[in-house]
């Protein structure tokens, strides 16, 4: 019992989604690893077991703060003299000392004077003194019990010292120093220390500086000092040792390692990773929306999605390798070049945008995020890549890639110079020329890589690039060579179909080169049985001796045979689709009609090609060109109007049969295709004049030769000599040789094999429907299409 093999398939959209997820994960890993340095587990006071160098230029924040503090302290103080302060201070102090001078009078009760102050006296003294005067009860008691004359003298001296101090200028912030000096002077004058202390409180209560700090000017000077340090902060350059082996790790070292994300278990890199993930997801979403909206054919083709993924990963990988030397050397434009040459130019613009952003992230890791190198690389890649797409999108020679590389280099250099001049920082400007040279070199580097990788990817994915199509159009290609030698009629037919298809494809904006090359190969399946196709027959037609169902099976096998041949020869998939679809599922009406006339139950579905119907414009155009060429050739000599009517009738019949339902050709496109067919066919089947038969007198060559030798001049023109040497009509007819159809000696069928496909039916019997085993097709010769058999009939 025959068991069926288990078969499984994955929807293209699911497979494309899987490829996209894997690609985004790989891109995230590559970018994250490139911007994340090696991490260490150190604490302050530990001895480092390794020398750690900076992975990028980093500012020593601890040292910068210390330098800023020191610079602020060194800023000199600025003052302004306030002339209104001294009168106020002197008035307040005079009033207060006058009150103090009257406190001893509180001890007078009637005509006697008490030696000590009572509580009531102290309460009265408190009411006379300002409430905010910070005197203790003992100090108030001392003033009440003091000698009035001594207090009066002390007040006078205090006023003199205050006036003297303010006249010399009392600086803001130096009040305590001035007060200490006045107290020392009063003590030196012999006043008791307790009273001097009390007057110290009194003078401090009234004292105000009259030379005030100019805070605005001081802050301006400090800000200037801070800006100078900010402009040239203490830095560790990339590669400079931060911590040396066998040295103690300091707090400043820890701060530097922390800023470089080089410490473990700090959670420092989490924000970076989340940001990278968000950016890459948005880029992937943007690419997916573009493909789904504008490039549905690519969106539904996992093979091309995989090609886009490989191009992106390839560019990122080469960028990481080039970044070890300089971020400006990264070959970002390589992605735009490969996508243009291998897929589509519009898609290349989107791929270039995505890769430019990723390249900016890779370039930023050398000097921190959002730096001048980052912006320079991103902008240069985007501008030069877009220009590159325009230059090479229709080029078929590989040398055009090198020319585009030169143009990219010039644009990169100009963009880099412009960005550096916009930045204007002295250290950045000093690197301008070296960065410009490196950016220019990246253009040539991208072109060289493109030429190499294009060949590899063409072979790996079997792509129909312009360069590949140009190579396949060479007549020395093995299949075309065989077609020319073994099936010359089919070869000539394919050449004419190619001219029709290319003209029509260019008229409707399709790929004319693909239509031409697809036409070259669309009938290579006829190589298996060339003698069964009308254009390769001379006198004998094997179909006259073959059942119509067998003839149909032979006929409809040639697209399938052609696909097998194309797969073995690694012909691009786009051409294989044209080979498979150039007949769609059209019926072979000649053999269907023949079977109907023989009688019996006949189903037209048994006389159709396997299909599928054309899916793309190029395949549909080749179908129409194939049908039109055969029909017009079968017409013989005809007028221009008759050719136009035939073209329109055939195109309409294909459309009514539904053969054009699955491609994107419009009615306008069909009109343009018909006009293009007419233009080409009018050039092929133009009217010719009929040459008359004229008897030319025979010349006496001996006499002419002797005369020529005497005159030493040519007696006839080269054209006349050639005309004279031309054979007569009778000689020409005699010289004709009738050759059998071209077949390879080793492939020529034997007599027995030739007899196998013949089916002899008794004349008295009605032919019954014949079931054809597909395996028979490998043993049977093949036949041509509908129009060829109509020509035979």
């Amino acid at each position: 019992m025959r068991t069926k093999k288990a078969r499984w398939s994955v929807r293209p959209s699911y497979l494309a989604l899987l490829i996209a997820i894997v690609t985004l994960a790989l891109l995230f890993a590559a970018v994250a690893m490139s911007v994340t340095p090696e991490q260490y587990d150190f604490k302050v006071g530990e001895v480092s077991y390794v020398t750690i160098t900076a992975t990028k230029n980093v500012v020593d924040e601890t040292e910068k703060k210390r330098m800023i503090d020191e610079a602020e302290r060194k800023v000199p103080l600025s003052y302004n003299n306030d002339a209104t302060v001294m009168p106020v201070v002197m008035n307040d102090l005079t009033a207060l000392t006058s009150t103090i001078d009257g406190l001893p009078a509180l001890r007078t009760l009637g005509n006697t004077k008490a030696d000590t102050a009572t509580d009531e006296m102290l309460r009265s003294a408190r009411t006379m003194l300002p409430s905010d005067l910070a005197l203790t009860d003992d100090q108030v008691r001392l003033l009440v019990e003091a000698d009035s004359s001594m207090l009066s003298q002390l007040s006078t001296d205090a006023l003199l010292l205050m006036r003297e101090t303010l006249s010399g200028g009392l600086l803001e912030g130096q009040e305590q120093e001035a007060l200490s000096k006045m107290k020392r002077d009063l003590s030196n004058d012999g006043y008791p220390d307790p009273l001097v202390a009390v007057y110290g409180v009194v003078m401090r209560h009234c004292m105000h500086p009259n030379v005030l700090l100019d805070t605005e000017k001081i802050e301006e000077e400090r800000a200037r000092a801070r800006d100078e340090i900010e402009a040239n902060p203490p830095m560790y350059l990339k590669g400079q040792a931060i911590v040396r082996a066998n040295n103690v790790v300091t707090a400043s070292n820890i701060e530097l390692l922390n800023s470089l994300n080089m410490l473990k278990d700090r959670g420092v890199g989490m924000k970076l990773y989340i940001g990278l993930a968000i950016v890459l997801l948005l880029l992937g979403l943007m690419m997916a929306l573009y493909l789904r909206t504008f490039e549905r054919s690519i969106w539904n083709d996992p093979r091309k999605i995989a090609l886009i993924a490989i191009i992106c990963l390839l560019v990122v990988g080469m960028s990481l390798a080039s970044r070890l030397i300089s971020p400006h050397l990264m070959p970002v434009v390589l992605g735009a070049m490969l996508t243009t040459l291998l897929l589509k130019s519009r898609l290349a613009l989107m791929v270039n945008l995505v890769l430019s952003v990723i390249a900016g992230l890779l370039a930023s890791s050398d000097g921190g995020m959002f730096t001048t190198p980052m912006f320079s690389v991103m902008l240069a890649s985007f501008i030069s890549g877009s220009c590159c797409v325009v230059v090479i999108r229709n080029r078929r020679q590989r040398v055009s890639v090198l020319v585009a590389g030169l143009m990219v280099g010039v644009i990169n250099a100009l963009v880099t110079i412009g960005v550096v001049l916009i930045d204007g920082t002295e250290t950045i400007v000093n690197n301008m020329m070296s960065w410009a040279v490196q950016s220019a070199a990246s253009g040539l580097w991208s072109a060289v890589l493109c030429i190499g990788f294009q060949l590899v990817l063409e072979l790996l994915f079997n792509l129909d690039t312009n360069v590949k199509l140009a190579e396949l159009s060479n007549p020395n290609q093995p299949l075309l060579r065989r077609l020319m030698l073994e099936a010359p009629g089919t070869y000539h037919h394919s050449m004419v179909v190619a001219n029709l298809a290319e003209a029509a494809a260019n008229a409707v904006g399709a790929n004319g080169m693909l239509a031409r090359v697809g036409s070259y190969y669309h009938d290579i399946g006829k190589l298996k049985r060339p003698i069964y196709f009308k254009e390769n027959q001379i006198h004998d037609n094997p179909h006259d001796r073959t059942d119509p169902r067998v003839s149909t099976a032979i006929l409809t096998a040639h697209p399938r045979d052609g696909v097998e041949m194309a797969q073995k020869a690694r012909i691009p998939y786009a051409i294989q689709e044209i080979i498979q679809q150039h007949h769609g599922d059209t019926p072979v009406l000649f053999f269907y009609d023949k079977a109907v006339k023989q009688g019996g139950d006949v189903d037209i579905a048994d006389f159709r090609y396997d299909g599928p119907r054309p899916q793309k414009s190029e395949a549909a155009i080749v179908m129409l060109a194939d049908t039109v060429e055969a029909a017009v050739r079968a017409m013989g000599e005809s007028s221009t109007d008759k050719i136009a009517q035939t073209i329109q009738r055939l195109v309409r019949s294909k459309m009514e049969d539904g053969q054009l339902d699955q491609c994107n050709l419009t009615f306008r496109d069909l009109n343009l295709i018909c006009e293009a067919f007419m233009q080409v066919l009018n050039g092929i089947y133009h009217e010719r004049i009929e040459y008359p038969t004229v008897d030319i007198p025979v010349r006496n060559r001996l006499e002419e030769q002797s005369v020529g030798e005497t005159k030493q001049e040519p007696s006839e023109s080269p054209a006349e000599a050639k005309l004279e040497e031309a054979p007569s009509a009778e000689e020409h007819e005699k010289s004709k040789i009738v050759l059998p159809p071209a077949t390879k000696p080793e492939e020529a069928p034997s007599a027995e094999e030739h007899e196998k496909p013949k089916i002899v039916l008794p004349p008295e019997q009605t032919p019954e429907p014949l079931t054809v085993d597909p395996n028979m097709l490998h043993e049977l010769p093949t036949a041509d299409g509908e129009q060829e058999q109509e020509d035979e009939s």
Side-chain angles (χ1 to χ4, degrees), residues 76-315:
L77 300 178
S78 299
Y79 296 93
N80 290 326
N81 192 359
D82 190 355
T84 62
V85 173
M86 184 175 176
V88 174
V89 172
M90 294 306 298
N91 289 336
D92 292 343
L93 185 58
T94 301
L96 184 54
T97 54
S98 298
T99 302
I100 292 173
D101 290 345
L103 291 179
L106 295 176
R107 290 185 288 116
T108 303
L109 295 174
N111 295 325
T112 62
K113 191 171 185 180
D115 293 333
T116 60
T118 62
D119 293 339
E120 185 179 355
M121 295 177 184
L122 293 179
R123 285 194 296 270
S124 299
R126 283 288 186 187
T127 58
M128 297 173 61
L129 296 173
S131 59
D132 56 346
L133 183 62
L135 292 176
T136 64
D137 291 341
D138 292 338
Q139 289 176 334
V140 173
R141 185 184 299 277
L142 181 62
L143 292 176
V144 173
E145 294 178 352
D147 183 64
S148 60
S149 61
M150 185 175 61
L151 281 180
S152 177
Q153 186 61 40
L154 183 56
S155 298
T156 302
D157 292 341
L159 288 170
L160 291 175
L161 289 174
M162 181 64 73
R163 184 179 297 277
E164 181 181 349
T165 299
L166 293 176
S167 298
L170 178 57
L171 299 179
E172 185 177 0
Q174 297 183 1
E175 294 89 348
Q176 193 60 41
E177 290 82 355
L179 182 61
S180 298
K181 181 179 181 301
M182 288 189 291
K183 290 168 63 177
R184 286 196 303 271
D185 292 341
L186 292 175
S187 297
N188 293 334
D189 290 340
Y191 294 107
D193 291 338
L195 282 177
V196 171
V198 173
Y199 267 77
V201 175
V202 173
M203 288 187 292
R204 183 66 187 89
H205 178 75
C206 299
M207 181 186 295
H208 293 288
N210 60 350
V211 180
L212 305 177
L213 288 173
D214 190 347
T215 55
E216 293 183 0
K217 186 175 181 180
I218 294 172
E219 187 58 34
E220 289 178 1
E221 295 296 330
R222 289 177 178 175
R224 188 177 294 109
R226 285 194 300 267
D227 292 341
E228 289 179 359
I229 297 175
E230 292 283 357
N232 296 287
M235 297 186 65
Y236 280 86
L237 302 179
K238 182 181 178 181
Q240 185 177 354
I242 298 176
V243 180
R244 296 190 179 276
N246 302 322
N247 285 2
V248 176
V249 179
T250 64
S252 177
N253 298 147
I254 293 295
E255 184 67 25
L256 286 171
L257 295 177
N258 193 15
S259 63
L260 291 171
N261 296 336
M262 299 177 72
L263 288 180
K264 292 182 179 179
D265 302 329
R266 298 297 181 99
V268 178
M270 189 56 63
K271 293 180 180 179
L272 176 64
Y273 296 148
I274 294 175
L276 287 178
I278 292 175
V279 171
L280 291 177
L281 284 175
L282 290 176
L283 291 176
L285 179 62
M286 180 179 65
M287 177 68 74
L289 290 176
Y290 174 82
L291 291 175
R292 184 174 177 82
T293 305
F294 300 105
E295 303 291 350
R296 293 301 295 266
S297 61
I298 297 178
W299 173 261
N300 295 322
D301 190 346
R303 184 175 60 94
K304 293 184 178 179
I305 296 294
L307 177 59
I308 296 173
I310 289 177
I311 290 175
C312 293
L313 293 174
L314 187 64
V315 172

Side-chain angles (χ1 to χ4, degrees), residues 202-440:
V202 173
M203 288 187 292
R204 183 66 187 89
H205 178 75
C206 299
M207 181 186 295
H208 293 288
N210 60 350
V211 180
L212 305 177
L213 288 173
D214 190 347
T215 55
E216 293 183 0
K217 186 175 181 180
I218 294 172
E219 187 58 34
E220 289 178 1
E221 295 296 330
R222 289 177 178 175
R224 188 177 294 109
R226 285 194 300 267
D227 292 341
E228 289 179 359
I229 297 175
E230 292 283 357
N232 296 287
M235 297 186 65
Y236 280 86
L237 302 179
K238 182 181 178 181
Q240 185 177 354
I242 298 176
V243 180
R244 296 190 179 276
N246 302 322
N247 285 2
V248 176
V249 179
T250 64
S252 177
N253 298 147
I254 293 295
E255 184 67 25
L256 286 171
L257 295 177
N258 193 15
S259 63
L260 291 171
N261 296 336
M262 299 177 72
L263 288 180
K264 292 182 179 179
D265 302 329
R266 298 297 181 99
V268 178
M270 189 56 63
K271 293 180 180 179
L272 176 64
Y273 296 148
I274 294 175
L276 287 178
I278 292 175
V279 171
L280 291 177
L281 284 175
L282 290 176
L283 291 176
L285 179 62
M286 180 179 65
M287 177 68 74
L289 290 176
Y290 174 82
L291 291 175
R292 184 174 177 82
T293 305
F294 300 105
E295 303 291 350
R296 293 301 295 266
S297 61
I298 297 178
W299 173 261
N300 295 322
D301 190 346
R303 184 175 60 94
K304 293 184 178 179
I305 296 294
L307 177 59
I308 296 173
I310 289 177
I311 290 175
C312 293
L313 293 174
L314 187 64
V315 172
V316 172
M318 297 306 301
S319 298
L320 288 175
S322 303
R323 174 176 161 270
L324 298 176
I325 302 174
S326 172
H328 297 278
L329 280 175
M330 293 191 297
V332 187
V333 183
L334 173 63
M337 290 181 172
L338 289 176
T339 308
T340 302
L341 296 173
L342 301 178
L343 292 169
K344 288 188 176 181
S345 56
R346 290 191 304 177
L347 176 61
L349 295 174
M350 181 60 63
V351 172
N352 181 63
L353 174 60
V354 172
L355 292 176
S356 297
V357 176
I358 296 176
L361 296 175
L362 295 178
S364 64
S365 62
D366 274 344
M369 292 294 176
F370 305 106
T371 59
T372 299
M374 172 189 180
F375 188 71
S376 173
V377 170
M378 186 185 300
L379 187 61
S381 302
F382 178 72
I383 295 177
S384 61
S386 302
C387 296
C388 176
V389 170
V390 177
V391 170
I392 66 174
R393 64 190 182 98
N394 291 323
R395 300 295 186 271
R396 299 176 183 175
Q397 296 79 20
R398 299 190 191 275
V399 70
S400 61
V401 177
L402 291 177
V403 175
L406 290 173
M407 180 203 69
V408 169
V410 173
I411 295 176
N412 282 351
L414 293 176
V415 172
T416 301
I417 292 173
V419 172
V420 169
L421 292 178
I422 291 174
D423 182 278
T425 306
E426 183 178 357
T427 56
I428 299 295
V429 173
N430 293 336
N431 295 323
M432 180 175 65
M433 295 310 300
S434 63
W435 288 358
V437 172
Q438 293 167 3
S439 299

Side-chain angles (χ1 to χ4, degrees), residues 38 40 42 47-53 242-247 249:
E38 185 178 358
Y40 303 91
F42 285 132
V47 177
S48 174
Y49 58 87
V50 65
T51 298
I52 304 175
T53 58
I242 298 176
V243 180
R244 296 190 179 276
N246 302 322
N247 285 2
V249 179

Side-chain angles (χ1 to χ4, degrees), residues 620-640:
I621 290 171
V622 173
M623 167 190 276
L624 297 176
D626 185 29
T627 303
V628 167
E629 195 281 332
V632 173
R633 176 163 45 86
M635 290 168 53
E637 295 185 5
S638 58
S639 64
T640 302

Side-chain angles (χ1 to χ4, degrees), residues 464-568:
D464 55 313
T465 64
N466 287 338
V467 177
K468 182 67 174 180
L469 293 176
E471 293 175 353
L472 290 174
S473 64
N474 190 336
N476 290 321
Q477 288 288 334
L479 287 176
L480 293 184
R481 186 73 177 173
R482 283 188 58 194
L483 197 67
M484 180 173 57
L485 297 177
E486 300 175 27
T490 301
Y491 178 81
H492 174 72
H493 160 73
S494 299
M495 296 301 107
V496 179
V497 171
N499 293 332
L500 292 170
E502 183 180 32
N506 291 333
V508 299
N511 190 337
M513 188 66 176
L514 175 59
R516 168 172 284 277
V517 179
S519 301
Y520 287 162
Y521 290 86
H522 80 286
D523 274 343
I524 58 173
K526 296 180 180 180
L527 284 171
K528 280 197 172 183
R529 293 168 285 272
I531 196 63
Y532 277 76
F533 294 87
K534 185 61 180 178
E535 69 267 20
N536 299 317
Q537 299 171 0
I538 296 179
H539 297 295
D540 180 55
N541 186 354
H543 292 288
D544 294 339
R545 303 179 298 276
T546 308
D547 184 86
R549 292 175 177 79
V550 176
S551 295
T552 300
I554 296 172
L555 179 70
T556 57
H558 85 270
R560 184 171 59 254
D561 295 337
V563 172
E564 293 177 359
M565 291 176 146
Q567 289 174 348
K568 292 179 181 179

